[in-house]
């Protein structure tokens, strides 16, 4: 059983008000004599079945392609308990229904043959990716008898509108890549006479290049980051602090940071400096040091830019991260007066996100795990992936990559580490084994590899060790050529990127069990499952997740027990209903 939780940003009312309901369209198709009896029956049956499996109300849901595209974005045949052929057929007939509802809504695949001019142009494409991105555009132009010389900004805009009125996934990405492929093509075809088109980016690109600012600003920033690079505190003999300075709050050394954090601070400083230039708060020539960025008035003006971008929302993690980094610079490097620091602390507190418990996105991703069959399917998915891989007669890179992903899932289920820790696991330093053929295995991470700088040692169950050994012996050699110390290597010998691993994990989970969660949510799953059996045992969850403070664990996961409380409450009510004469004990 799969519980479907759609992460949509729009409500049905936000889609075309003039669109008839999907139920009304089915009634119109059932009464349309231009369809054969079999065709009408097939369409109505397929659409009703698919909508029923997705819990879509026929009479109140607009027949708008974008709404259905969002609903179907992460749905697989496993999600709706259909065979692959039946699921694909239902989707195809749904497309036909939406096309019938509005002639401007095109089918997912156009059957219009390409005009000869466009068929000849495809020969100049340099990659399969470029052919795929150009084919839809060329079919659109062929349908409308538009010659290659006539493709301009107006045609591209109309093509984009057609895509948005279809069930294509991520229409903005399709439009942008089609524009990019077209620009590449006309550069490669001499004498075509066509004009380039603009490439529309969803996000506004306002961050200036580092070269736009004085080099002294970056030198000052690097000096600040160097002061926080290592935890050791050393002083030269000629620069010993006085006793007053030694115990002064602003003379204490700032907390050390890792390389990844330093890179994030570099970007945030450049991001904020760019905003100050755009807003006209500080001239580029005046940005000679970090001191020019961190006055209370300057930070206040700069943060207003982000408030406008967030449509008036005052509290979000982006603004809080920028404000916090600037406060640290002002306090520990620029050393602003105490009165200014107090203003910055108040400003930082005003943009700090306020939430108790898990974010809404995490709650929605965990919705399928409310049902025990889904929990069991989640715990068994790595074994299913490995079982299918073992059936293969030969091992190619794709198969080995699936097994690597299955191993990641298996380890993260039993040892809910952060994705950065698992992906940077080295065979020579992070995996420790006891003596003996059947010895135990644990993952060991020193403080400099852990977010809260506490040594982390995680024992692996025997079943996980068996999968690990099989992967190392049989599948990992296919993934890398030459020497590589990483447990999960990329083709270039480095460790696999988090974004790539995250995509692989979610793709395999949807394929095998019909739903997916992102890698970080494995930690939330661990807390949810443990607390559902051991309510109130936050100390154990704190140890499992490696939180430094118990308060962190309680703040995020205390309300996960609410579901169990409601189930208990429902059981009490059922007991009272079954025994209406039962008196309340005194």
């Amino acid at each position: 059983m799969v519980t479907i939780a759609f992460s949509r940003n729009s409500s049905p009312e936000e889609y075309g008000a003039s669109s008839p309901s999907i139920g009304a369209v089915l009634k119109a198709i059932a009464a349309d004599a231009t369809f054969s009896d079999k065709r009408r029956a097939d369409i109505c049956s397929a659409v009703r079945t698919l909508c029923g499996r997705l819990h879509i109300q026929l009479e109140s849901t607009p027949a708008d392609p974008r709404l259905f595209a969002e609903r179907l974005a992460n749905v697989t045949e496993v999600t709706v308990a259909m065979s692959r052929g039946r699921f694909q057929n239902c989707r195809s007939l749904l497309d036909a229904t939406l096309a019938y509802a509005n002639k401007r809504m095109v089918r997912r695949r156009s059957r219009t043959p390409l005009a000869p001019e466009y068929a000849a142009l495809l020969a100049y494409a340099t990659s399969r990716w470029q052919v795929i991105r150009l084919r839809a555009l060329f079919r659109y132009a062929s349908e409308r008898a538009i010659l290659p010389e006539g493709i301009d900004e107006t045609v591209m805009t109309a093509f984009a509108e057609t895509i948005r009125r279809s069930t294509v996934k991520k229409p903005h990405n399709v439009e942008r890549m089609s524009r990019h492929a077209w620009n590449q093509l006309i550069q490669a075809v001499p004498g075509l006479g066509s004009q380039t088109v603009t490439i529309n980016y969803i996000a506004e690109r306002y961050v200036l290049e580092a070269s736009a600012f004085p080099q002294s600003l970056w030198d000052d920033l690097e000096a600040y980051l160097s002061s926080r690079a290592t935890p050791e505190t050393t002083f030269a003999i000629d620069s010993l602090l006085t006793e007053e300075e030694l115990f002064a709050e602003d003379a204490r050394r700032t907390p050390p940071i890792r390389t990844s954090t330093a890179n994030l601070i570099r970007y945030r400083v450049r991001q904020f400096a760019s905003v100050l230039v755009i807003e006209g708060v500080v001239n580029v020539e005046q940005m000679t040091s970090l001191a020019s960025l961190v006055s209370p008035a300057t930070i206040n003006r700069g943060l207003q830019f982000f408030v406008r971008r967030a449509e008036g929302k005052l509290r979000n993690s982006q603004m809080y991260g920028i404000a916090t980094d600037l406060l640290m610079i002002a306090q520990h490097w620029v050393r602003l007066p105490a009165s200014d620091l107090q203003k910055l602390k108040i400003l930082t507190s005003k943009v700090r996100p306020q939430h108790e418990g898990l974010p809404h996105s995490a709650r929605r991703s965990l919705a399928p795990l409310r049902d025990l069959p889904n929990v069991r399917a989640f715990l068994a998915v790595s074994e299913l992936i490995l079982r299918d891989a073992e059936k293969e007669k030969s091992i190619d890179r794709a198969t080995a990559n699936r097994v690597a992903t299955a191993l990641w899932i298996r380890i993260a289920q039993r040892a809910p580490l952060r994705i950065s820790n698992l992906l940077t696991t080295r065979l020579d330093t992070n995996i420790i084994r006891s003596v003996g053929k059947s010895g135990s295995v644990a993952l060991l991470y020193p403080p400099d590899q852990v977010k809260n700088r506490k040594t982390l040692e995680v024992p692996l169950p025997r079943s996980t060790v068996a999968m690990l050994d099989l992967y190392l012996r049989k599948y990992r050699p296919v993934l890398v050529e030459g020497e590589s110390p990483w447990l999960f290597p990329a083709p270039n010998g480095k460790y696999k990127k988090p974004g790539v691993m995250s995509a692989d994990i979610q793709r395999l989970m949807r394929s095998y069990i019909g739903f997916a969660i992102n890698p970080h949510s494995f930690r939330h799953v661990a807390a949810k499952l443990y607390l559902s059996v051991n309510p109130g045992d936050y100390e154990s969850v704190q140890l499992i997740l490696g939180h430094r403070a118990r308060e962190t664990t309680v703040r995020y996961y205390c309300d996960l027990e609410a579901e169990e409380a409601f189930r208990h409450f429902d059981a009490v009510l059922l007991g009272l209903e079954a025994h209406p004469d039962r008196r309340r004990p005194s």
Side-chain angles (χ1 to χ4, degrees):
M1 176 182 180
V2 176
T3 301
I4 305 170
F6 298 107
S7 56
R8 294 174 50 237
N9 297 322
S10 306
S11 61
E13 293 78 9
E14 295 177 25
Y15 293 89
S18 60
S19 298
S21 69
I22 192 70
V25 176
L26 291 180
K27 290 178 181 178
I29 291 176
D32 193 335
T34 61
F35 290 96
S36 67
D37 291 343
K38 184 178 186 305
R39 180 68 171 172
R40 288 200 301 267
D42 287 346
I43 290 177
C44 293
S45 174
V47 175
R48 290 182 184 277
T49 300
L50 187 58
C51 289
R53 300 289 173 88
L54 296 176
H55 308 291
I56 294 174
Q57 301 299 315
L58 294 175
E59 301 306 326
S60 58
T61 303
D64 189 294
R66 291 281 15 109
L67 186 149
F68 281 92
E70 290 180 7
R71 290 290 183 96
L72 292 167
N74 296 320
V75 174
T76 66
E77 61 271 15
V78 180
T79 310
V80 292
M82 293 181 181
S83 67
R84 181 182 294 272
R86 174 61 172 161
F87 179 58
Q88 292 176 344
N89 185 57
C90 285
R91 291 197 63 161
S92 176
L93 293 175
L94 173 63
D95 286 341
T97 303
L98 297 174
Y100 179 88
N102 189 331
K103 292 183 179 180
R104 292 178 298 173
M105 300 177 187
V106 299
R107 298 176 185 271
R108 291 175 65 85
R109 293 183 182 274
S110 172
R111 294 181 174 86
T112 303
L114 294 181
E117 296 86 351
Y118 291 110
L121 278 179
L122 282 181
Y124 289 91
T126 58
S127 66
R128 183 172 177 270
W129 172 89
Q130 195 176 18
V131 171
I132 292 173
R133 295 309 167 197
L134 289 173
R135 195 182 296 277
L137 173 62
F138 287 178
R139 281 210 171 101
Y140 172 84
S142 297
E143 287 176 348
R144 292 156 180 80
I146 301 173
L147 295 176
E149 304 84 56
I151 294 182
D152 55 13
E153 198 65 44
T154 302
V155 173
M156 279 293 190
T157 302
F159 171 65
E161 180 61 25
T162 301
I163 296 173
R164 284 191 287 273
R165 299 289 294 175
S166 72
T167 54
V168 171
K169 295 180 182 179
K170 300 181 180 179
H172 292 290
N173 289 349
V174 174
E175 176 198 355
R176 186 173 66 254
M177 289 186 288
S178 296
R179 288 173 175 265
H180 182 59
W182 172 251
N183 286 346
Q184 283 185 327
L185 183 69
I186 63 177
Q187 295 287 338
V189 180
L192 183 58
S194 300
Q195 55 182 299
T196 59
V197 294
T198 58
I199 299 177
N200 301 319
Y201 293 96
I202 298 175
E204 178 188 358
R205 297 194 169 186
Y206 60 88
V207 181
L208 304 177
E209 296 294 333
S211 58
F213 300 91
Q215 182 59 40
S216 58
L217 174 64
W218 308 127
D219 293 341
D220 197 25
L221 176 61
E222 292 304 318
Y224 164 70
L225 295 175
S226 297
S227 72
R228 299 186 60 184
T230 55
E232 294 80 18
T233 302
T234 56
F235 299 99
I237 294 296
D238 58 354
S239 62
L240 286 174
L241 300 177
T242 64
E243 190 167 333
E244 276 186 357
E245 292 172 328
L246 185 63
F247 293 100
E249 180 66 27
D250 61 353
R252 294 177 185 175
R253 185 178 174 82
T254 57
I257 58 175
R258 293 178 296 175
T259 302
S260 59
T261 305
N263 291 334
L264 180 58
I265 294 174
R266 287 187 183 96
Y267 177 77
R268 283 175 173 168
V269 169
R270 183 160 65 92
Q271 181 184 21
F272 189 73
S274 301
V275 167
L276 296 181
V277 174
I278 294 171
E279 295 290 284
V281 180
V282 182
N283 294 330
V284 172
E285 295 78 12
Q286 296 174 317
M287 296 183 183
T288 56
S289 68
L290 295 176
S292 61
L293 309 180
V294 297
S295 71
T298 301
I299 294 178
N300 186 53
R301 289 279 303 280
L303 290 179
Q304 290 175 8
F305 171 86
F306 296 99
V307 173
R308 291 198 304 274
R309 283 175 60 85
E311 298 180 349
K313 184 179 179 181
L314 185 60
R315 299 177 181 273
N316 65 55
S317 57
Q318 181 188 46
M319 285 190 286
Y320 181 64
I322 293 172
T324 301
D325 286 338
L326 294 175
L327 172 61
M328 294 289 287
I329 292 172
Q331 181 176 2
H332 297 289
W333 188 252
V334 179
R335 299 186 185 277
L336 291 183
S339 59
D340 286 347
L341 292 177
Q342 184 60 30
K343 293 177 183 177
L344 290 182
K345 290 177 181 178
I346 294 173
L347 185 60
T348 302
S349 67
K350 286 183 177 294
V351 298
R352 180 175 183 174
Q354 290 182 331
H355 62 80
E356 292 293 328
L358 292 178
H360 291 294
S361 58
R363 292 175 184 274
R364 299 181 76 90
S365 69
L366 297 183
L369 297 175
R370 293 195 181 103
D371 300 306
L372 185 57
N374 290 341
V375 174
R376 289 171 175 163
F378 167 72
L379 296 176
V381 65
S382 58
E383 294 290 347
L384 295 176
I385 298 170
L386 180 60
R387 181 196 64 190
D388 287 349
E390 288 286 83
K391 294 178 181 178
E392 299 288 342
K393 294 182 180 179
S394 60
I395 303 174
D396 57 11
R397 183 170 184 82
T399 302
N401 188 61
R402 287 198 299 272
V403 174
T405 306
L407 177 63
W408 194 100
I409 293 173
R410 180 77 176 185
I411 295 176
Q413 287 172 340
R414 273 67 182 179
L417 302 167
R418 293 179 175 87
I419 187 171
S420 58
N421 285 126
L422 268 181
L423 291 184
T424 56
T425 299
R426 294 177 61 102
L427 299 176
D428 52 353
T429 59
N430 297 121
I431 299 178
I432 56 175
R433 296 176 181 265
S434 63
V435 178
K437 185 177 180 181
S438 59
S440 61
V441 177
L443 302 178
L444 177 64
Y445 302 94
D448 61 335
Q449 289 184 256
V450 183
K451 182 178 180 180
N452 60 11
R453 295 192 173 274
K454 292 176 61 178
T455 298
L456 184 62
E457 183 173 349
V458 182
L460 298 181
R462 290 193 179 275
S463 58
T464 306
V465 173
M467 182 179 288
L468 170 66
D469 290 340
L470 177 63
Y471 164 74
L472 293 177
R473 182 181 71 255
K474 187 174 180 180
Y475 293 97
R476 184 182 177 277
V478 181
L479 293 175
V480 64
E481 298 178 1
E483 294 294 328
S484 177
W486 310 107
L487 177 60
F488 299 103
N492 59 4
K494 299 180 180 179
Y495 61 82
K496 198 170 184 178
K497 292 183 179 180
V500 177
M501 177 61 84
S502 177
D504 289 346
I505 291 167
Q506 296 182 70
R507 181 171 56 252
L508 279 178
M509 287 188 65
R510 289 194 186 96
S511 175
Y512 275 85
I513 59 178
F515 65 92
I517 57 177
N518 64 56
H520 188 75
S521 290
F522 276 65
R523 295 169 58 80
H524 303 326
V525 172
K528 176 181 175 64
L529 297 182
Y530 186 87
L531 290 174
S532 67
V533 180
N534 304 280
D537 188 3
Y538 296 110
E539 286 76 11
S540 294
V541 177
Q542 177 188 353
L543 292 173
I544 291 171
L545 299 183
H547 289 159
R548 180 177 290 275
R550 181 179 182 274
E551 290 72 19
T552 302
T553 309
V554 175
R555 184 173 72 251
Y556 275 97
Y557 301 114
C558 63
D559 53 355
L560 286 181
E561 297 178 279
E563 184 178 339
E564 297 301 319
F566 275 107
R567 287 179 178 173
H568 179 71
F569 177 60
D570 187 56
V572 171
L573 296 181
L574 290 175
L576 293 174
E577 290 174 350
H579 304 282
D581 297 331
R582 180 184 294 175
R583 294 183 179 181
R584 184 178 63 181
S586 58

